[in-house]
Amino acid sequence: MSAPRTVVEVAVPRPLRDTFDYAVAADQPVPPIGARVYVPFGRSTALGIVTGHRTTSTHELKAISEVIDATPLLTPDLIELAQWLARYYHHPIGSVLSTMLPAKARRGAAAMVAEEAVWEATGEGCAEAALRRAPRQLETWRRLRELRSLPEAEARSAGLERHCLSALLAKGLAARRVVDPDYGYRTLGAVTPNAEQQAAIDAVAASLGGSATHLLDGVTGSGKTEVYLRVIAAALARGQQALVLVPEIALTPQTAARFRERFGAAATLHSLVSDAQRFDIWLKCASGSHKVLIGTRSAVFAPFQDLGVIVVDEEHDGSFKQTDGLRYSARDVAVKRAQGLGIPVLLGSATPSLESLRNVHRGRYGLMRLASRPGGASMPILRTLDIRGERLQQGFSAALLAAVERHLDAGGQVLVFINRRGYAPVLLCAACAWQARCPHCDVRLTLHVAPEALRCHQCGYRRPVPRQCPDCGSGEFVRLGVGTQRVAEALAEIRPDVPLYRIDSDTTRSMRRLESDLAAIRAGRPAILVGTQMLAKGHHLPNVTLVAVLDADAGFLSPDFRAAERTAQVITQVAGRAGRAERPGEVLIQTYDPANAHLAALIAAGYRGFAQSESRLRAEASMPPFAAMALVRADSLNETAAGDFLASAAPHLKGVGVEVLGPAPAPLARRADRYRYQLCVLAARRGDLHRALDRLEAAEPRTSGVRWAVDVDPLDAF
């Protein structure tokens, strides 16, 4: 064939490390870098992203089949970021770019922006009577009235069904208005910053227009969100945009509500947003129509016309780490993206990660502290309850039950934290000690009630609860341990006069249910809250006066080197729900090991004291953040194949400055019928770690029935 007019480099979403050269036919436009194209690939056609242009190629080239985008879908900074992601996380560039795109964009949909619309409740005087026989429509109308003005893109995540909205529209009880996002700073809801807040605001605002990473270390309830709002206001005043990352979907509605109250508008991206809405929001950020975007992990890849600042709330949270595919940390990607754009990034937390504190110590991050709560609210008092030798009542000691009664009788609310859902983690035969185990994973099945079933929290397997032991035929079973269901049942029996709310992933699959529960809790009447770490993250619960932590020991005694840090963070975070109003808060932690060094440091010196002692231990052990770590993970249907594969891969990793541990079975050795092994790679210098991983990739080890992946900066190690 004749020499191509232009050669384009295309990354395709396949497990291949290289890009591929294609020709542009004479009658085709040259696709810009960042555009989507269809290209012939093997015996099929693939959608790829253009990553570069050249004038020559050493290959006989096929022509691009179709150019989808006349203008780049991915901005230059995102293409550059993707190339860094591929190098740092040792992941194929085509898969990286595919991960960055919304699902609809990956399917080749045209980049067309939809109109912006909002829903509002109307018919204030007649709605209740008109909808008396349509309870779902009435609930939808009440929710609309409460929200005042709801962006159409967020109707689903707010729990509002399209057919109910359409019915209300037909009855004249709701209005749908096409609008332009109305961004502008409002004083409504604004508070006067205290001296610590103002110093933090001034420091970040002064860095707008330049590259800087700030860590805002603020105790729970210290007003970090007000700092975020003021900093973003300063960026908007410069005509720029802002990105806010939050760790959980559950935090998005309340965060978005505060931002809309202050700025008039804010877009949200999370897993409850439909594919079509996600792509539309994505495009409106790229065009500059959306000025503020609030989102979970994947929002870090959204394109912007002129991004001015990135905020990462609860920067320590493990939800920012992707645990399959491209195993990226959204927090770390946000820092890298801000550096590439030359803009500031603000990381906020009451319990900063040891990695971020280490970066402060090395001078890479600036540190700002909020040491007190505004308005004179006091910090809660933490105490341990020694339960050694005590017979517990459904997980509660007598002293803890007495405290629950005392706070409820005084008109307070009680939050009971146990990071285990279900009724009981073990169902055991009283006669022969048979235990219900998952046939597909190396875990016990968890007993759930209402509906009653044995469920695996790893693979989703479920089975009915047996009436007789399959081993000995006995009909007597013992339910060992407690979960949120059992705790809630016990408390409902003890105080049937007090409303009880259970908040875990089993009860909050609907955003409507979660928001309804939180609204009832914030009404201020005495109540009992039972939940997992979903309750620990960012929720403002001003009437909680007692927080009870039932099972702290499990986290502190885990072999994973990060477990103590995660446990201290979640205890501090959940403790921070107490004492946010004028009444002081109390936190009681039940423990069989009150002398545990981690727990003692947390009680005596707070999270900062814990972080200092834990950092010393990590440094002595040469573990992150004082060393660089990666895991090479492998799994297979064959019991030994994954371990054999990693044994053959290990020699390629060894070199100067690198320590290789394993292979060894993963902490969960079998999951969904796949046997799992891992190699741990440690290096004092990050460059040595990446060179070792490069050697492994260059060796192209044979995989024969084995899936393997590299996990740089793993969240769970041992």
Side-chain angles (χ1 to χ4, degrees):
M1 64 181 284
S2 59
R5 180 164 57 96
T6 301
V7 176
V8 293
E9 299 172 15
V10 178
V12 295
R14 299 290 189 274
L16 302 165
R17 306 287 168 178
D18 299 323
T19 57
F20 298 87
D21 290 351
Y22 287 89
V24 179
D27 60 344
Q28 284 181 322
V30 177
I33 294 172
R36 294 170 297 164
V37 293
Y38 281 118
V39 294
F41 197 82
R43 297 182 180 180
S44 63
T45 300
L47 184 148
I49 299 290
V50 177
T51 59
H53 294 150
R54 290 212 305 272
T55 56
T56 61
S57 177
T58 58
H59 305 285
E60 187 74 13
L61 301 183
K62 296 179 181 179
I64 289 171
S65 302
E66 180 186 347
V67 177
I68 302 173
D69 303 310
T71 57
L73 192 65
L74 290 171
T75 53
D77 79 289
L78 287 176
I79 294 293
E80 184 178 335
L81 183 67
Q83 292 165 341
W84 175 83
L85 286 162
R87 293 191 304 271
Y88 186 85
Y89 291 106
H90 297 266
H91 199 73
I93 181 65
S95 295
V96 169
L97 289 163
S98 180
T99 299
M100 296 172 81
L101 291 174
K104 195 172 179 183
R106 294 197 296 269
R107 295 194 291 267
M112 297 177 61
V113 176
E115 64 183 11
E116 189 84 7
V118 297
W119 285 88
E120 297 171 341
T122 58
E124 182 72 34
C126 61
E128 299 281 348
L131 299 174
R132 187 172 57 253
R133 296 186 179 181
R136 293 182 74 104
Q137 293 177 32
L138 179 58
E139 183 183 356
T140 300
W141 182 85
R142 287 172 174 165
R143 183 81 174 115
L144 266 184
R145 182 182 59 178
E146 177 187 336
L147 293 170
R148 294 194 290 252
S149 180
L150 178 70
E152 187 170 56
E154 295 175 29
R156 180 184 175 196
S157 60
L160 304 188
E161 297 169 355
R162 181 74 194 201
H163 68 88
C164 287
L165 291 169
S166 298
L168 292 174
L169 183 65
K171 294 175 180 178
L173 298 175
R176 179 183 180 274
R177 293 190 300 109
V178 177
V179 298
D180 291 322
D182 178 23
Y183 285 94
Y185 188 75
R186 281 120 168 110
T187 56
L188 178 68
V191 297
T192 302
N194 61 26
E196 289 181 328
Q197 289 174 311
Q198 191 61 56
I201 294 163
D202 293 343
V204 183
S207 67
L208 291 172
S211 181
T213 303
H214 306 273
L215 177 63
L216 182 61
D217 178 359
V219 298
T220 53
S222 59
K224 291 184 288 295
T225 303
E226 185 62 33
V227 175
Y228 304 158
L229 290 165
R230 299 271 179 165
V231 166
I232 290 170
L236 297 185
R238 293 167 55 92
Q240 295 181 299
Q241 297 163 283
L243 169 63
V244 182
L245 298 179
V246 295
E248 294 277 7
I249 297 171
L251 296 182
T252 311
Q254 71 174 47
T255 305
R258 285 198 66 181
F259 276 69
R260 289 192 186 112
E261 185 179 66
R262 194 67 62 88
F263 300 121
T268 60
L269 273 183
H270 47 74
S271 63
L272 293 182
V273 175
S274 71
D275 288 348
Q277 292 165 341
R278 177 179 290 269
F279 194 23
D280 184 62
I281 292 167
W282 207 77
L283 293 170
K284 286 173 179 172
C285 288
S287 70
S289 176
H290 281 316
K291 303 296 184 186
V292 178
L293 176 65
I294 304 165
T296 49
R297 186 172 55 227
S298 63
V300 74
F301 299 129
F304 290 89
Q305 186 181 75
D306 187 10
L307 186 58
V309 66
I310 302 175
V311 173
V312 183
D313 191 27
E314 310 290 0
E315 65 85 24
H316 67 279
D317 198 281
S319 300
F320 284 125
K321 174 72 172 178
Q322 176 74 25
T323 55
D324 57 13
L326 173 62
R327 290 168 163 85
Y328 67 94
S329 161
R331 176 200 63 204
D332 297 346
V333 174
V335 172
K336 183 65 179 179
R337 187 174 185 188
Q339 290 172 348
L341 289 170
I343 63 173
V345 59
L346 175 57
L347 312 177
S349 177
T351 55
S353 64
L354 297 193
E355 282 77 10
S356 292
L357 292 173
R358 174 68 172 159
N359 280 321
V360 168
H361 180 74
R362 300 174 71 182
R364 294 180 174 179
Y365 295 178
L367 177 64
M368 303 168 297
R369 286 202 166 111
L370 304 180
S372 60
R373 291 176 165 180
S378 60
M379 294 300 297
I381 300 168
L382 275 69
R383 291 194 295 117
T384 57
L385 294 178
D386 186 351
I387 56 175
R388 289 175 293 181
E390 184 167 350
R391 187 178 182 85
L392 302 181
Q393 181 181 341
Q394 303 287 48
F396 289 85
S397 64
L400 184 54
L401 285 175
V404 169
E405 296 272 16
R406 186 176 72 253
H407 280 263
L408 292 175
D409 291 342
Q413 294 178 341
V414 173
L415 189 161
V416 179
F417 172 77
I418 179 166
N419 209 19
R420 185 187 299 119
R421 58 194 175 97
Y423 189 87
V426 180
L427 184 69
L428 179 139
C429 173
C432 71
W434 169 87
Q435 298 177 28
R437 302 189 69 88
C438 178
H440 308 290
C441 308
D442 287 342
V443 296
R444 299 180 185 90
L445 294 173
T446 299
L447 175 66
H448 285 247
V449 297
E452 186 179 75
L454 289 167
R455 291 167 52 182
C456 176
H457 291 172
Q458 294 295 325
C459 71
Y461 169 83
R462 64 176 62 201
R463 55 162 291 183
V465 178
R467 300 304 166 207
Q468 291 182 309
C469 173
D471 280 3
C472 73
S474 169
E476 287 196 37
F477 292 96
V478 178
R479 300 169 171 187
L480 295 179
V482 295
T484 51
Q485 287 184 345
R486 192 169 191 174
V487 168
E489 179 184 271
L491 290 170
E493 291 177 0
I494 293 167
R495 290 300 299 259
D497 58 315
V498 176
L500 188 146
Y501 303 91
R502 177 163 64 91
I503 297 179
D504 57 29
S505 58
D506 292 327
T507 63
T508 54
R509 298 183 188 279
S510 154
M511 194 65 70
R512 177 193 297 176
R513 167 72 180 272
L514 176 62
E515 284 295 289
S516 174
D517 285 351
L518 291 175
I521 291 164
R522 292 187 187 113
R525 292 182 295 274
I528 300 171
L529 293 65
V530 176
T532 59
Q533 60 182 346
M534 290 183 71
L535 273 176
K537 299 178 180 181
H539 297 295
H540 181 58
L541 307 171
N543 299 295
V544 169
T545 57
L546 172 66
V547 168
V549 180
L550 294 192
D551 188 16
D553 295 328
F556 283 127
L557 298 176
S558 168
D560 191 327
F561 78 94
R562 292 191 194 276
E565 179 185 0
R566 286 198 297 267
T567 303
Q569 287 168 340
V570 76
I571 288 176
T572 304
Q573 292 284 341
V574 76
R577 302 313 107 196
R580 289 190 165 216
E582 66 279 358
R583 289 184 289 188
E586 183 179 13
V587 180
L588 298 177
I589 304 168
Q590 288 191 160
T591 176
Y592 287 102
D593 186 17
N596 180 282
H598 299 298
L599 182 56
L602 184 64
I603 298 295
Y607 182 78
R608 287 183 192 169
F610 164 83
Q612 290 171 356
S613 63
E614 179 67 6
S615 292
R616 286 193 294 270
L617 293 174
R618 295 267 194 96
E620 291 169 4
S622 297
M623 297 296 284
F626 300 92
M629 175 185 281
L631 292 181
V632 184
R633 304 181 188 268
D635 62 76
S636 173
L637 292 170
N638 180 282
E639 189 169 357
T640 60
D644 293 342
F645 164 76
L646 290 179
S648 69
H652 300 295
L653 290 161
K654 292 176 180 175
V656 176
V658 176
E659 181 181 9
V660 180
L661 306 176
L668 179 59
R670 184 171 61 106
R671 185 178 188 272
D673 292 320
R674 298 191 72 88
Y675 294 88
R676 308 161 76 234
Y677 284 78
Q678 63 189 35
L679 276 171
C680 179
V681 189
L682 285 163
R685 292 182 293 273
R686 192 164 291 278
D688 291 338
L689 178 78
H690 287 294
R691 281 187 285 275
L693 296 172
D694 288 340
R695 289 195 297 272
L696 177 62
E697 291 173 18
E700 297 183 343
R702 298 183 63 179
T703 58
S704 187
V706 176
R707 300 186 310 202
W708 71 282
V710 173
D711 187 357
V712 177
D713 304 328
L715 191 65
D716 301 300
F718 305 126

